[in-house]
Each structure stands twice: as structure tokens, then as C-alpha cells.
Amino acid sequence: MCGYDILMLAGTADKNRFLGALPAATRVFLESRMTAHGGGIGDVLQPPNAPIEAVWFPLSGIVSTLRPLEGDTNVEVDASGAEGFLGIELILGARSTPDTWIVQSPGRFARLDAQVFLEALERDAVLHDAARRYASAVQAIRGQWVACNARHTIEQRLAKWLLSTRDRVGDEIQITQDIVAMMLGVRRASVVTVLGRFVDHGLVAHGYARVRVVDDARLKGVACPCYGKAAEMLRDGLSAA
């Protein structure tokens, strides 16, 4: 964690869908042991190849999970907003991760000590079941993203990424072209070209470090089917949480 200022934590469960769906006693217990932190684009919540010291619940903003490839190349395998949390590895029995958790869109993020989370999972069957359902959904989405990266064009993937991000933060997306290129695992020049095409066609508007979705219906027409499939998987993972 770098560059974070601890903020007052109030009403966390009302801003995170996973927490908000838990029984009141469970929410109160978890919230009483959390701290909230503000983060900007590029801030790291979890470094790669390191022990997982905390579970993070976005209250606003988005955190990307980046998987390292060759050299300094990373590619996004998942993104988490206020619908869920980061730390599913703990549920699956791992205590570290090869991935980096990096803030993609600025916001506030609640931190819960990993050991507290693990102990709560052991004691609370409802929390345990909800966490496992969410972890299963995330794994399914990551598999969909792998297939997407292998088969679909940059245009399709960028449209999908913009729509998925819009669903979490609204039409106005604070992002840089460098970050988008890293998320998609492509060259920045490719992002500039495709984003310029989207602007020319009236799908989005683009300013400094900002992209605004203008015509989501037509953008959905460009996006690959993975956008809808991932949204459905996430709904299934949260439906009974």
C-alpha cells in the first residue's frame, strides 16, 4: 500500500454490494475492524509475489488485478469495484499472489486485515458461503477474460473494457491511455488509434485523462459477447450473497 491517507469509515456496507448483502451482525463486525483509504490511479494495494496482508473492499473506484507476463509486461485479468472485494486467493487456500492489485479508477477502499477475514470465515457460515460464491464468479470471469484476449480484436476488447468500467463508475471515466494499454496488454499506440476511431464515430468523448461514454448502445454493438457474459457471471455470484 502506498500513498494512502486513512479516512473515517462510516456506512461502508451501504457502498459495497458484497458487504451490504451480508447479515447486519456480520456487516457490523467486519466494518468495526476496517479502515478506509483514499487512492489515486496507479496506487498499489498489493505488490506481486508477496504475502496477502489485507482484503480490500472498494467503496468507490476500481482496482485491477494484473498478471505479470514477460519482462515488464502486465495484463489485466480482473477488475473489482464496489460490487466485491480483492483477496479471493485467501478463500482458495493461498496466502500470497503473483498478481498486482493496482488502482485503476480513483476512489475509497476499505482495508480488512487478512487474518481477521480468515477467522471470520471460519466462524461465520453465511460469510463463508457468500465469499466462496463470489470467488467462484471471479474465477469464471478471469477464464472468460483469458479467452477474450486470445480471440477478440482490440476494438472489441476496448469497448468491453469501457462498458465494464462505466458500469462501476458512471459515464465519466478517469483513466490514462497508458493505463488502458496496460490493462489490455497492448501498445499505447494501438489504444490511441482505436480510441480516436471511437471518438470519430461518436461512441465516446476523450479529454485529458478522461473518457466519457456517449453512446453506450452502439458501444455494446462493438463490444465482444464477453461483456454480457461477465456481467451475468457476476450477478450469479452475488445473487445469493
Side-chain angles (χ1 to χ4, degrees):
M1 183 181 66
C2 65
Y4 276 68
D5 297 322
I6 296 178
L7 307 173
M8 293 299 293
L9 181 61
T12 298
D14 295 330
K15 299 174 183 177
N16 180 282
R17 284 175 56 196
F18 179 87
L19 291 173
L22 295 172
T26 301
R27 293 200 309 267
V28 171
F29 173 82
L30 295 176
E31 183 176 341
S32 69
R33 287 157 177 79
M34 291 178 178
T35 54
H37 306 254
I41 295 174
D43 284 341
V44 174
L45 302 184
Q46 170 70 33
N49 301 309
I52 299 173
E53 297 182 350
V55 177
W56 290 88
F57 296 82
L59 309 179
S60 61
I62 303 175
V63 180
S64 288
T65 298
L66 301 182
R67 178 64 53 86
L69 298 177
E70 67 280 355
D72 295 328
T73 303
N74 292 275
V75 65
E76 183 183 64
V77 295
D78 182 39
S80 302
E83 76 284 346
F85 62 89
L86 296 103
I88 65 166
E89 294 84 352
L90 297 173
I91 301 164
L92 303 174
R95 296 296 179 268
S96 63
T97 175
D99 300 328
T100 302
W101 304 344
I102 186 171
V103 176
Q104 174 198 122
S105 181
R108 298 179 71 224
F109 310 94
R111 182 188 189 278
L112 178 67
D113 183 82
Q115 189 58 40
V116 172
F117 181 68
L118 287 169
E119 292 171 358
L121 288 176
E122 291 181 2
R123 292 193 309 268
D124 192 321
V126 174
L127 173 63
H128 182 269
D129 289 346
R132 286 191 66 86
R133 282 193 300 271
Y134 178 72
S136 178
V138 171
Q139 285 186 300
I141 292 170
R142 289 181 179 180
Q144 189 70 38
W145 260 216
V146 170
C148 179
N149 289 340
R151 295 286 297 177
H152 295 140
T153 65
I154 295 177
E155 286 83 359
Q156 290 175 306
R157 291 162 54 202
L158 179 56
K160 174 202 70 177
W161 185 90
L162 289 169
L163 289 166
S164 298
T165 304
R166 185 282 310 270
D167 290 345
R168 291 180 167 108
V169 301
D171 290 339
E172 193 82 15
I173 302 168
Q174 295 185 50
I175 198 69
T176 66
Q177 293 171 344
D178 289 329
I179 292 291
V180 175
M182 181 170 62
M183 300 308 168
L184 298 181
V186 300
R187 295 182 300 114
R188 180 179 182 276
S190 298
V191 172
V192 172
T193 298
V194 175
L195 193 59
R197 196 174 301 145
F198 286 0
V199 172
D200 292 342
H201 293 167
L203 305 180
V204 304
H206 180 235
Y208 177 72
R210 290 179 184 275
V211 176
R212 180 167 56 85
V213 175
V214 175
D215 192 333
D216 66 339
R218 290 172 58 212
L219 195 61
K220 288 176 183 177
V222 176
C224 54
C226 298
Y227 167 64
K229 290 180 180 178
E232 183 178 353
M233 291 172 186
L234 184 58
R235 283 195 299 270
D236 291 344
L238 291 170
S239 61

